[in-house]
Amino acid sequence: MKFRHNFTLIDDQKTCRVYRSGATRVRLDFMEHMLRVAVLRDGEPLTPTYTVRPRLPQDPPAGGGLAPFPACGRDKLSTEGLALTAPKIDDRADGFSFSIADVNISVSLLNFSMRLEKDGRLLYRDRDYLAYNFDHEYGAGSVHFISREEDERIFGLGDKTGPVNKNKRRYRMAASDAMGFDARSSDPLYKQLPFYICENSCGAYGIYYDTYSNGEMDFGQEINNYYAPFKSFRCEEENLVFYLMFGTVPEIVSAFSRLCGPLLFPPRWTFAYAGSTMSYTDAEDADQKLRRFIELCEEYGLHPGGFYLSSGYTQIGQKRYVFHWNTDKIPSPEGLAAHFAAHGVEFFPNVKPAFLTGHPLYQKIAEKGWFLHYEDGTPAVFPFWDDYGSYLDFTHPDAYAFWTACVKEQLVDKGYRNIWNDNNEYDVTDKEVYAHGWDGPVRAHLIRPLFSFLMTMASLAAQDQTKRTVSVSRCGIGGLPRIATTWTGDNHTGFEDFRYNHRMAMTMSLSGFFNFGQDIGGFAGPRPDEELFLRWIQYGIFTPRFVLHSWNPDDTSTMPWLYPEKLPAVQRLFALRNALVPYLYNEVYRSVLCHEPVIYPVFLKEKGFDTESDAFFFGDHMLAAPVFDRGASSVSLTLPQTGGGWYRGAPPEDATVLAGELLTGEVSADCAPEDLPVFFIRAGSVIPWAQDSAAAGQRAHDLRFCVYPLNEGNFSYTFLDDDGISWLSEDNKTTIRFSAECDQTTVRVSVTGAQDLTILLADPLQRRLDVRYL
């Protein structure tokens, strides 16, 4: 009967229970601090997951290599690697109840309605009457309705725009090429991640819907007189599998990261400046412009680590043909790569997953059946980059292998070792378009963002696995950080977009994307004026990805020398970024180990702090305080109360940092666009600083370790010392440990794992520094 579904138990395996009503099964898997719910329709195939991939005992150690993952994905109901538990279940005639961690869960067998309580208070409740779409009462696809509080806080969803707290907003679950998006309101963008954290008056829970179909997330826009306030999720897939996670907000952020698998540990050079602009490769003299980039960087002492090679290198006429080299523009691809490598700079060549109908390889691919296609096998054709083209079907094993071979032959073997997977949002909405699938054809619109993930996997398979390289993807799903880095897409140039780009960054960090950045200065729109240009570089210093990239309509390029008169300020800013690379690299390694964000909003550590604050943590030991307002000349903020106070940040060569005041409470600091940005260092920290601008290749003995002591007390710090590019092993890495004891007269520092380091003391009390090597 519609709206009234009585479920009965059909399988009890202690860590898993299955219930049935008519043609619908509901499966519960019990885990420590987590519950998986699967609502399954008879006759509907269950697609694999590529997001859920927890660490397995046979995996390499953190940073020691890629965890194996098959191109065919993982069974969505697999329990491998999950921390299963067998709770005591109290059965009743009309339902049952059990506890996970400190959450009590009660289930009514009528419509399988769940109610979650913590400390006797309501944490979560499925909406009254009917919360799921068991018999298509709510139309096609899957639906989930959950109770909501008026002032609850919502975090997550990937790269979504607007404020950090998404309460009372509605978002589409889809991936789209949104060039020039409005960072305040545009939707959808490039990531498709139906994961969010809800924090209400009782506590917090996280929820991840394991689907790649398009949908909608509503956090209070919809109101219906027949129901108490609710939020909802809708998607096109008929099966619904989701995970409920319990804990504090930071615990849930880490739990979701663990569910997806560890962050790919990138080589150290990726945290240095990387250049990029479409104008260089679109130009007829692309080779000369690219080589001139190296000359100018060396002339100005900027020391880039990489360069993003835009797709102009593939042009035939005005159109772009993936894997084709335009040798009129770049006569020797191998020679260009060797030239950059000789100067310590790596390339990220741009690749796109659609082959234009005029592509030299198009007919071959079509004859093999490797494109997304209609039921009769005819390739599906879509608008793509000023022409028409067909998307490669990465669910087809032969198409997947073909792509890997092309990446290796045309790029990796020519010296282009790191791949930039771009324009991979797969704009497929036609329900008559099919993919090869796994156990039979699949309607392509149901798995759109999954093609981008498979594309990135196929590219990574071609890269040199004997050392750490980088794959980059613009489109992303949960689990992408396991195989690639990303960025927030083709942002717009403007001060308001600048501030909301920051809020997008905080949202990304709360969504499990830990290694990312923005196109500094804005990608689309007018070139940034001098003030915005410098402010955005000041901010970008504190993001993992440090890339200036643009497509300016006036044919200028947003390069470090965009404004020659501001070049001295740019040089100082770039020098600060390079000085911070060893610290950032170590914080990313901490993220790999602990599944914690690299940059994150203050409230994640200090409950109650403004969710929309401009200030944010840069690693666990620094607080960045950027300027987002045009014409502002200073920064004011209230420092977090965590720890024993804060020091004003500056490179160690600035003598003021060694005798600076220990700060607490409300502070103000002058900051002109030409100045170094305002940031603070937590008391009780050891910060590794590079001693010159070429930070990417430095080891511990090339660094200065500055100690920022407490007034009283002890603290410790662990530093990874390695070559920055090899997969980590016990043979090629050293763990250096610092332990500090602070009293009124002396700061005693004990060091294990190294000898004869350069250690400085930043201390307003002018205490004696006593260093001992153990």
Side-chain angles (χ1 to χ4, degrees), residues 601-670:
V602 177
F603 75 81
L604 207 61
K605 283 290 176 70
E606 184 163 318
K607 189 175 176 63
F609 207 89
D610 181 10
T611 60
E612 313 306 319
S613 172
D614 293 341
F616 64 100
F617 276 102
F618 174 60
D620 269 359
H621 304 275
M622 291 190 185
L623 183 76
V627 176
F628 292 113
D629 295 309
R630 181 180 294 282
S633 59
S634 64
V635 170
S636 297
L637 75 156
T638 300
L639 292 169
Q641 297 177 13
T642 55
W646 297 85
Y647 294 88
R648 175 72 186 271
E653 58 266 21
D654 185 342
T656 60
V657 76
L658 299 179
E661 180 184 2
L662 190 59
L663 304 170
T664 59
E666 295 184 6
V667 296
S668 295
D670 292 337

Side-chain angles (χ1 to χ4, degrees), residues 739-761:
S739 297
E741 300 176 2
C742 310
D743 60 31
Q744 292 299 309
T745 62
T746 308
V747 177
R748 298 176 180 84
V749 178
S750 299
V751 183
T752 59
Q755 297 284 328
D756 301 322
L757 300 177
T758 300
I759 300 179
L760 308 175
L761 180 64

Side-chain angles (χ1 to χ4, degrees), residues 244-506:
L244 273 170
M245 294 158 242
F246 312 120
T248 64
V249 174
E251 287 171 345
I252 293 168
V253 171
S254 295
F256 180 62
S257 175
R258 285 191 174 86
L259 183 68
C260 298
L263 176 73
L264 178 67
F265 190 35
R268 186 163 50 224
W269 62 263
T270 61
F271 301 116
Y273 159 63
S276 185
T277 178
M278 289 191 64
S279 65
Y280 283 13
T281 53
D282 280 2
E284 294 301 318
D285 58 344
D287 190 88
Q288 294 94 315
K289 287 187 180 298
L290 290 164
R291 291 172 187 264
R292 180 60 176 157
F293 168 80
I294 293 291
E295 293 175 3
L296 288 173
C297 284
E298 293 188 346
E299 179 181 341
Y300 299 137
L302 300 180
H303 303 288
F307 191 91
Y308 283 73
L309 190 70
S310 293
S311 58
Y313 77 95
T314 69
Q315 284 181 307
I316 301 176
Q318 296 302 308
K319 297 176 182 178
R320 297 158 203 268
Y321 298 85
V322 63
F323 301 129
H324 168 79
W325 279 97
N326 184 323
T327 52
D328 292 332
K329 291 183 175 189
I330 300 176
S332 172
E334 297 90 342
L336 180 63
H339 179 74
F340 268 60
H343 291 266
V345 182
E346 292 277 352
F347 270 118
F348 298 84
N350 181 289
V351 291
K352 307 182 189 301
F355 290 74
L356 301 183
T357 55
H359 195 292
L361 295 173
Y362 186 89
Q363 289 304 319
K364 171 189 173 181
I365 300 171
E367 290 169 4
K368 296 285 189 180
W370 294 345
F371 287 130
L372 299 184
H373 55 273
Y374 294 106
E375 194 168 14
D376 64 359
T378 304
V381 177
F382 305 89
F384 192 83
W385 272 80
D386 302 322
D387 201 346
Y388 289 92
S390 297
Y391 288 109
L392 197 67
D393 177 8
F394 284 95
T395 68
H396 195 302
D398 294 336
Y400 185 101
F402 163 76
W403 179 271
T404 297
C406 287
V407 170
K408 187 174 189 310
E409 293 166 9
Q410 295 301 321
L411 297 170
V412 175
D413 288 350
K414 297 181 188 297
Y416 298 79
R417 294 180 284 265
N418 310 276
I419 305 302
W420 171 15
N421 302 273
D422 199 17
N423 298 102
N424 52 354
E425 290 77 25
Y426 273 68
D427 190 12
V428 181
T429 56
D430 188 343
K431 295 182 180 180
E432 301 305 315
V433 176
Y434 289 87
H436 177 272
W438 300 271
D439 297 318
V442 175
R443 293 187 188 272
H445 78 281
L446 292 175
I447 56 170
R448 281 178 47 181
L450 185 52
F451 295 113
S452 71
F453 189 88
L454 289 166
M455 172 192 180
T456 306
M457 282 183 62
S459 296
L460 187 60
Q463 295 172 222
D464 181 4
Q465 299 302 327
T466 64
K467 58 184 179 181
R468 284 181 274 159
T469 58
V470 178
S471 195
V472 183
S473 178
R474 188 173 72 178
C475 182
I477 59 174
L480 179 68
R482 207 172 58 237
I483 62 170
T485 65
T486 190
W487 81 108
T488 55
D490 297 338
N491 53 356
H492 188 263
T493 301
F495 261 99
E496 183 178 66
D497 287 275
F498 176 32
R499 169 171 270 125
Y500 276 93
N501 266 247
H502 161 64
R503 290 174 179 166
M504 285 177 61
M506 298 299 96

